[in-house]
Amino acid sequence: MSTRHVLLGLLAGGPSHGYDLKRRYDERFPQARPLAYGQVYTTLQRLVRDGLAAVEGTDSDGGPERTLYRSTDEGSRELATWTAEITPPALFVTNEIFAKVVVSILVAAAAGSDRTSDAAAYLQAQRTAHMARMRELTALKTVPGTDLSTVLSADYAIAHLDADVRWMTTTASRLTTLTAEVDTA
């Protein structure tokens, strides 16, 4: 996810302080990787530097001085371009789970242990972790009054976890063949 574009999108609603942008980010993207305040302010400084945002002013409201940021016309154009771009599917899939399956076969071979059972045990443990996370997300999205952003982001995460679980099941059924291929490579 492009932090700069998400912040520009949040600024599209009108001028905001960094603190408010962070709070709205957390509300709109509840299942996303957390955004640190330092990242918000660093990104805002870059947006200002690049002419995509501008400082609207500062105020203190009896507390520390806070800077108010707004999107510029150039920022609005960049945001429109970004939102219209199709996100291409990844050319290369780097999957840590697959890498661990192959490495567990290699390590077991070096140790002289049963390569297939070590990889199968890893896949089962990983599946258990995925299923637990899917249950957490399902519980989260089914709480009465849950906002649609939370439901949709949980649905997205559940779909990806489900795809991983299906892949793990398929891979577990093919471990003997995979082990033979790893042994001959």
Side-chain angles (χ1 to χ4, degrees), residues 21-143:
L21 292 168
K22 160 73 168 125
R23 184 182 46 77
R24 289 201 334 255
Y25 173 90
D26 291 343
E27 290 169 359
R28 296 285 179 236
F29 306 100
Q31 300 302 314
R33 177 175 286 137
L35 186 60
Y37 283 105
Q39 187 177 3
V40 170
Y41 290 107
T42 300
T43 303
L44 286 169
Q45 290 169 355
R46 288 183 185 135
L47 290 170
V48 169
R49 178 197 68 201
D50 296 342
L52 303 174
V55 173
E56 180 83 0
T58 58
D59 60 43
S60 63
D61 290 333
E65 189 172 273
R66 298 184 334 161
T67 303
L68 191 64
Y69 297 89
R70 66 172 173 78
S71 181
T72 62
D73 291 341
E74 182 63 29
S76 296
R77 283 190 293 278
E78 172 151 333
L79 185 60
T81 300
W82 180 74
T83 58
E85 290 174 351
I86 301 301
T87 302
L91 294 175
F92 304 101
V93 178
T94 56
N95 184 318
E96 186 172 348
I97 297 168
F98 176 67
K100 286 183 177 185
V101 169
V102 171
V103 169
S104 70
I105 291 169
L106 294 170
V107 168
S113 62
D114 183 354
R115 295 172 310 281
T116 303
S117 68
D118 287 359
Y122 167 73
L123 283 170
Q124 183 56 46
Q126 187 64 58
R127 183 182 190 286
T128 299
H130 269 56
M131 296 302 291
R133 181 65 179 142
M134 289 170 74
R135 284 190 293 277
E136 290 170 7
L137 290 165
T138 300
L140 174 71
K141 75 179 203 154
T142 56
V143 171

Side-chain angles (χ1 to χ4, degrees), residues 133-134 137-138 141 153-163:
R133 181 65 179 142
M134 289 170 74
L137 290 165
T138 300
K141 75 179 203 154
S153 63
D155 284 342
Y156 184 85
I158 289 168
H160 282 266
L161 291 166
D162 182 58

Side-chain angles (χ1 to χ4, degrees), residues 105 109 114-117 119 174-185:
I105 291 169
D114 183 354
R115 295 172 310 281
T116 303
S117 68
R174 297 175 175 169
L175 276 176
T176 301
T177 304
L178 178 62
T179 300
E181 285 182 11
V182 169
D183 285 346
T184 61

